[in-house]
C-alpha cells in the first residue's frame, strides 16, 4: 500500500483524522490508511473485539491480570517492569492490539488518589526508571505504548473540571520528571493528556505542556492523544498541538472547520497534527515485524507469579512470626478466597485464570491443616458470629488474617476517603488479637494503608498490594518461606491521610493547590522531620543485611561510581534493595534533605556478600532553576546516603562538587 502523505488527503479527511473513528480506532478512509487499534492496560490487556469497537462497554477478552503497577514499583526491579510490559504486549499480539494505553507514570502525591495502584511511585526517579523498562518491554515486541496521564492527574474526584495548580519548579522536578526521564531513554508511540486542567487550562488545550515542554524540551516525537473525553473544543486542542482526540466526538470536525473559516487556526495547524498522525500510523506498521507470540497462558501466569513474589512488602515481623510455623493454622478473611487482585476502572482485567484458595495453597505448602472462616462477610457482623470467631481463634497458636480494599473502595474516577481499613476489617483484627498473640495480617490494597490501630497487637504485616492473578501463589510462597520477601515501598505510609499533602478531597472552587511544592512524600516528611508509619523504601526480609565500605570514585566533574558491600547475615539466599540518596544541605534554593538518585536490587547468597556499584551523574546534584529555565548544579558539599530505606540510612559520605566558576552564580 502506497504511503499516504498530508498532500494526498482532502481537507475534510485531514480534519476527520484528528479525531477517533470510534471508541478504539483511528480512521482508515475505506482502507486508504492502515487501521490502528488501541486498548487498555497497564496491568493486563483490556480490549473489546473489533466488532464491539463502536460500542461502550462491550465484553472484553479474558487475559492475565498482572501484578498492578503499584506492585511492579514495589519490586524495585526494573527487569520486572520490562517483563510486565513483555507479557502484556504478548496478549496485545494475540488479540491484534496496536497500542497499549499504558503505562501511567503520575506521581502519588496523596495516598487518597483513587488511581495510585496504576502509578509507580511518589518519587520521580523510581517512576522514571520503572517506566523506561515497561515501555521498552512493550515496544520491543512491536506494540506501541501511551505514557499517561500527562500531566498532574493526581486526584480522581472532579477530574475533568478541577485544576492542579503547581509552580514551574515543582512541575519540572516532580510531576513532569518521570515523563522526561522516560522520553530520554525511549520513544513511546503516544502520550495521553490528562482530564484535569493545569494552572487553569485543560491539558488538552495546554500548548505550554503539549508543545513547548513535551516536544520542544523533552523531544517527544510520537502523537499526543486525549484521555477518553478529555478533549473539549477540538479546535482549541488543535491549536495546542493535541494530535488525536479520543474517542469519536460528533461535533469535533465542525468545530475545527468553523475555526479554520474564522482564522482562529490555520490549515498549517491541522497539517502539523496530521503529519504527526501519519508518521505514527506508519511507525505502527513498521513495528509489526517485531510481533511474535512468545508465551502460553500458563507461562504468563508463571511470570506474573515471579513478579508478584518480588513485589510484596514485609512491613513488620515481630518474634519472627513469618515464615509460618508448620502448626495448625487459622486463616480468616474473605479475601483469602476471593482476593483483591486489581483496582477498579479502565485498567481492570477480566481474568482468564482462576484464583486458587489461599487455604489450599497454605495447607499444601505447610503440610498441616488450615482452617478457614470468611469472617468478613456481611452476616458476620453480629456479636454471636464475632464470639464464635474469637472462640475459634483462641484454639490456634497461629492466625493469618487477610484484609484490604476491593474495587468498591479503590477505583478510577473516585478518590479514597481514608487510608484506614474498613471498620469491619479492623474489628476482626481486634477480636482475634484479644485471644491469640500470634496474628499475621495480610493487606491487599492499592496504596498506603494506616496500620497504626493494630500494628502493636499483631506480630507480622505483609502488604500484598494488588498482585493480580498470581496473588495467592505469591502469598503462599512468602508466608510459608518458600520465598523470601524482597519488595520495598515505593510510597510513604503516613500516619494520617493528609500528613504530607493537603486532603485532595477538599479543593475549594475546584482548585487543587500544590502548596507543598517539591516536598512530596518522603521529601515532605524529611523536611518536617516528621514520623511516618512506614517510610519510603521500607521492606523487611527473613534475613538481616549489613552494609559496609562505602566508596565514591570520581569519574568526572559530577560523575561518580558509588560502591558498597552488602552482607547477608542469614541462612537463606535473599535479595536486598539498596537505595542511594543525595542531598545538598546548604543551597541557595530550598532543597529536599535527600532525593533518591540510584538503587540496586541484588540477590545475596546466605552468609555471603555482594559488592554493589551504581553511578551518579549531573542529574544527581542538579535542581530545576526557574530563572535559568534549566537544570543547575550549585557547587558545594553534597552527602551521599546509602540505605535500606529512606529512614534506615546505613552509610554516608560527603562529596564536594566544584564546577568551573563560569557555571556558578554568586
Ligand atoms: C482513562 C484512561 C484510559 C481510557 C480508555 C480513561 O477513562 O483515564 O487511562 O486509557 O479511559 O479506557
Amino acid at each position: 500500500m502506497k504511503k499516504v502523505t498530508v498532500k494526498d488527503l482532502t481537507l475534510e479527511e485531514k480534519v476527520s483524522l484528528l479525531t477517533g473513528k470510534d471508541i478504539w480506532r483511528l480512521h482508515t478512509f475505506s482502507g486508504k490508511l492502515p487501521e490502528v487499534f488501541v486498548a487498555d492496560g497497564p496491568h493486563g490487556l483490556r480490549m473489546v473485539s473489533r466488532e464491539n469497537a463502536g460500542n461502550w462497554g462491550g465484553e472484553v477478552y479474558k487475559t492475565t491480570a498482572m501484578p498492578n503497577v503499584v506492585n511492579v514499583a514495589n519490586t524495585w526491579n526494573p527487569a520486572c517492569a520490562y517483563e510486565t510490559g513483555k507479557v502484556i504486549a504478548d496478549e496485545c499480539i494475540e488479540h491484534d492490539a496496536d497500542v497499549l494505553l499504558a503505562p501511567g507514570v503520575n506521581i502519588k502525591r496523596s495516598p487518597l488518589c483513587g488511581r495510585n495502584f496504576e502509578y509507580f511511585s511518589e518519587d520521580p526517579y523510581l517512576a522514571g526508571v520503572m517506566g523506561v523498562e515497561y515501555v521498552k518491554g512493550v515496544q520491543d515486541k512491536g506494540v506501541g505504548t501511551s505514557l499517561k496521564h500527562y500531566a498532574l492527574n493526581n486526584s480522581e474526584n472532579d477530574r475533568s473540571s478541577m485544576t492542579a495548580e503547581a509552580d514551574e519548579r515543582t512541575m519540572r522536578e516532580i510531576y513532569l520528571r518521570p515523563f522526561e526521564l522516560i522520553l530520554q531513554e525511549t520513544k513511546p508511540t503516544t502520550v495521553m493528556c490528562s482530564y484535569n486542567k493545569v494552572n487553569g487550562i485543560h491539558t488538552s488545550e495546554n500548548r505550554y505542556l503539549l508543545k513547548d515542554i513535551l516536544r520542544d524540551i523533552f523531544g517527544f516525537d510520537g502523537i499526543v492523544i486525549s484521555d477518553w473525553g478529555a478533549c473539549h473544543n477540538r479546535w482549541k486542542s488543535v491549536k495546542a498541538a493535541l494530535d488525536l482526540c479520543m474517542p469519536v466526538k460528533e461535533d469535533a470536525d465542525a468545530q475545527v472547520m468553523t475555526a479554520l473559516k474564522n482564522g482562529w487556526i490555520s490549515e498549517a495547524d491541522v497539517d502539523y497534527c496530521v503529519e504527526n498522525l501519519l508518521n505514527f500510523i506508519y511507525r505502527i506498521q513498521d513495528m509489526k515485524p517485531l510481533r511474535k507470540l512468545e508465551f502460553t497462558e500458563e507461562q504468563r501466569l508463571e511470570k506474573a507469579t515471579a513478579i508478584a513474589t518480588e513485589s510484596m512488602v514485609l512491613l513488620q515481623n515481630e518474634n519472627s512470626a513469618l515464615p509460618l510455623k508448620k502448626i495448625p493454622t487459622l486463616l480468616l478473611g474473605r479475601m483469602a478466597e476471593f482476593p483483591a487482585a486489581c483496582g477498579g476502572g479502565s485498567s481492570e482485567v477480566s481474568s482468564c485464570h482462576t484464583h486458587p484458595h489461599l487455604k489450599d495453597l497454605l495447607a499444601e505448602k505447610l503440610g498441616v491443616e488450615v482452617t478457614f472462616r470468611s469472617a468478613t462477610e456481611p452476616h458476620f457482623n453480629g456479636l454471636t458470629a464475632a464470639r464464635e470467631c474469637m472462640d475459634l481463634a483462641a484454639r490456634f497458636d497461629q492466625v493469618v488474617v487477610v484484609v484490604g480494599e476491593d474495587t468498591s473502595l479503590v477505583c478510577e474516577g473516585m478518590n479514597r476517603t481514608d487510608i484506614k481499613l474498613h471498620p469491619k476489617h479492623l474489628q476482626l483484627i481486634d477480636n482475634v488479637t484479644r485471644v491469640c498473640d500470634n496474628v499475621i495480617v495480610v493487606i491487599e490494597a492499592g496504596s498506603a494503608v494506616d496500620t497504626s490501630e493494630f500494628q502493636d497487637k499483631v506480630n507480622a504485616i505483609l502488604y500484598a498490594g494488588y498482585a493480580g492473578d498470581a496473588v495467592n501463589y505469591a502469598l503462599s510462597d512468602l508466608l510459608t518461606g518458600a520465598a523470601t520477601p524482597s519488595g520495598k515501598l515505593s510510597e510513604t505510609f503516613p500516619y494520617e491521610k493528609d500528613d504530607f499533602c493537603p486532603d485532595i478531597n477538599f479543593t475549594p472552587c475546584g482548585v487543587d493547590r500544590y502548596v507543598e511544592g517539591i516536598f512530596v512524600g518522603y521529601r515532605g516528611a524529611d523536611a518536617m522531620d516528621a514520623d511516618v508509619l512506614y517510610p519510603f523504601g521500607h521492606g523487611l526480609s527473613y534475613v538481616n543485611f549489613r552494609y559496609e565500605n562505602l566508596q565514591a570514585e570520581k569519574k568526572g566533574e559530577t560523575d561518580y561510581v558509588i560502591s558498597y558491600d552488602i552482607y547477608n547475615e542469614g541462612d537463606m539466599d535473599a535479595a536486598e534493595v539498596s537505595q542511594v540518596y543525595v542531598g545538598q544541605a546548604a543551597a541557595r534554593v530550598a532543597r529536599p534533605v535527600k532525593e533518591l538518585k540510584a538503587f540496586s536490587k541484588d540477590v545475596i547468597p546466605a552468609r555471603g556478600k555482594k559488592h554493589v556499584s551504581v553511578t551518579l551523574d549531573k542529574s544527581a546534584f542538579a535542581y530545576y532553576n526557574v530563572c535559568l529555565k534549566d537544570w543547575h548544579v550549585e557547587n558545594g558539599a553534597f552527602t551521599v546516603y546509602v540505605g535500606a530505606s529512606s529512614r534506615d540510612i546505613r552509610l554516608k559520605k560527603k562529596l564536594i562538587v566544584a564546577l568551573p566558576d563560569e557555571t556558578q552564580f554568586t
Side-chain angles (χ1 to χ4, degrees), residues 200-211:
I201 299 176
H202 269 116
T203 61
S204 60
E205 296 175 1
N206 200 319
R207 192 174 168 89
Y208 168 72
L209 284 175
L210 301 190
K211 177 75 170 60

Side-chain angles (χ1 to χ4, degrees), residues 24 40-41 56 101 115 118 148-149 153 159 192 195 227-228 346 412:
W24 305 108
D40 263 317
W56 281 110
L101 300 172
R115 281 184 105 168
E118 284 192 64
K148 64 188 189 182
H149 305 90
N153 187 174
R159 62 184 180 175
M192 186 190 292
Y195 281 117
D227 200 341
W228 268 229
S346 62
E412 175 184 341

Side-chain angles (χ1 to χ4, degrees), residues 7 33 66 92 104 211 228 240 264 272 327 394 427 449 645 649:
K7 288 199 201 72
L33 291 171
M66 296 297 288
C92 291
K211 177 75 170 60
W228 268 229
W264 300 330
Y272 174 84
I327 55 175
Q427 186 66 59
V449 168
S645 86
I649 300 301

